[in-house]
Amino acid sequence: MKFKDVFEETYLALAVNKARSGLTVLGIVIGIASVIAMISVGAGAQGSIEASIQSIGSNLLLVYPSFARGVGEQVRGGFGSATTLTVDDANAIASQVQNIAAVAPQVTTNAQVIYQGQNTNAQVIGTTPNYTQVRNVQIAEGNFVSDTDVQSYNMVAVLGPTVVSNIFATGTDPLGATIRIKNYNFRVIGVAASQGGTGFGSADNAIYIPLSVAQHFFTGNSSVSTVNVEVASAQDMTQAQSDITNLLLQRHNIADPTHADFQVLNQASIIQTASAVTGTFTTLLGSIAGISLLVGGIGIMNMMLTTVTERTREIGLRKAIGAKRKDISTQFLMEAVMLTGIGGILGVALGYLISLLITSLSGTATAVSFESVVLAFGVSAVIGIVFGYYPSRRAAGLNPIEALRYE
Amino acid sequence: MIECRNIKKTYGEGGDASTQALKGVTFSVKDGEFVAIMGPSGSGKSTLMHIIGALDTPTSGEYLIDGKNIASFTDDELADIRREKIGFVFQAFNLLPRATVLRNVMLPLLYDGVPEEERKSRAKKALKAAGLDEEHFGHLSNQLSGGQMQRVAIARALVNNPAIILADEPTGNLDTVTGEIVLDTFQRLNEEQGRTIVLITHEPDIAEHAERIIHVKDGLIVKDGKEHVRRRVHHK
């Protein structure tokens, strides 16, 4: 039998039972579509998290204070509770470690911000001019905090775009305005450009003030909450990370590295961790959707078994007029594969539509990858073959005499 | 031509449970003959039909079709024999419902790998030979009357130019008048085209349309002869 003839026979057989074929295909469509849509959500999340980590700067090392621990005590404070990381540490890193492009210490607090009766909560970041370079902050209007501002304790603030839109009426120029942060008046000297990204707390909802001001008025001590370090090139990251660790251990007089009161995080490893998390998330979503694909496959098998039983006499006749086992099994296998094939095509289309819909309705980024389409299609073909195999074998194995007698 | 030599068929595995449906049957049918195999139910005629039709193999004995002994053929080899040498006409027609008349008749050629155009022309020729009007060719088979359906089935049996046409109670599902029309079709094919036809029936009236009647009873041939006056269907 020629392939074209098999194809035609298959089409005609499926067309006879349009409703049943349609419903069986629907099972596969739902399965494939949910796999595609779920994987696209996962992949989209992965992409946007990676992008937001990238947006905070490149070749970045973050030095955080670690757990506060008294000498000989086993009780740890919370993460970041140590107050031992200082501006001097930051300066030491800048001057003593090789291949460092820039260092920007920062103090971070959350505070209420008020302007003419409008108020919002924002992240207040006390830092130095280097911050723009290290953390990739672009200034849209005015200027960033300058060295003079830091040295002279100038009460000036640079606003993130979200803060501006939250407290200023549309069209108002924030430059030069006086805002209140925790009951202190600040003059707005600049507005930062949007960095986008939703992960790690939006950088757009931040207010930048001089480091000295933040330490003096908000935290009341000379410690810093993060030292941002930009390494000259990606190859130097690991070396710089261990150099910084050694330098700080030495400066803090800690002999045992496991008792370090700080932590150096590598941006590359943060991305790796985030990728691993979203990868797991994607796999989980895909697996749940995969179950519906499996159910769809069982639907195919169910329909094929019913079909074989219903068409027993037809099978008997086909055998009587000269069809071999292979002709019969090919025909029924082809029917199953065609059902899953149609389901696969429609499912990919529907899955793509769903992912577009998710993006437009919820704003969650989605990405339908070529791989997921190939995967879904391959899986549907395999399902067709696997779940069609047993019924087609059963059909091919029928005895023509008994099949012809079947009522 | 077909030849049966001492064909025996036993069902079941030895012992008391086994039944011997054929106890040694020997006969032959020459090309161009119109033979009826007649016997009551349980006589073994169905078993004989299955063996003649290459649907089953005998337990012992030889069955030659065009000189080839197919008694020990495998399922797929038997399928080849059926495709090339045998045309079946069944009591229940066994047409594909919701498929056109033409497609039903083309079906055996599908398994022969005949190109579509040739399938169509041969199917049309067979339908004309079976006496079906051209206006019905495009109809769905389940829209036809019983007599028309059986003529479609006859055309399907003719289309691969078989060595024999095997008709199993072809009038069983038809009333007397349409039954006569179908039997007339067989007679015409036998006389005008020289087709070899083997008709299996339990009704003497039907069997008498053949030139020769083989009587089967209890798994044996009890009478094989031509000494009857062949009944004729009167043409208009």
Side-chain angles (χ1 to χ4, degrees), chain A residues 103-124:
Chain A
V103 175
Q106 80 175 75
V107 166
T108 313
T109 50
N110 276 296
Q112 195 184 40
V113 187
I114 304 170
Y115 176 74
Q116 290 185 350
Q118 297 293 319
N119 75 89
T120 183
N121 260 297
Q123 203 182 22
V124 178

Side-chain angles (χ1 to χ4, degrees), chain A residues 260-281:
Chain A
D261 56 358
F262 62 89
Q263 211 175 12
V264 184
L265 291 181
N266 186 328
Q267 190 189 19
S269 63
I270 297 173
I271 291 176
Q272 245 172 36
T273 310
S275 298
V277 171
T278 51
T280 310
F281 172 66

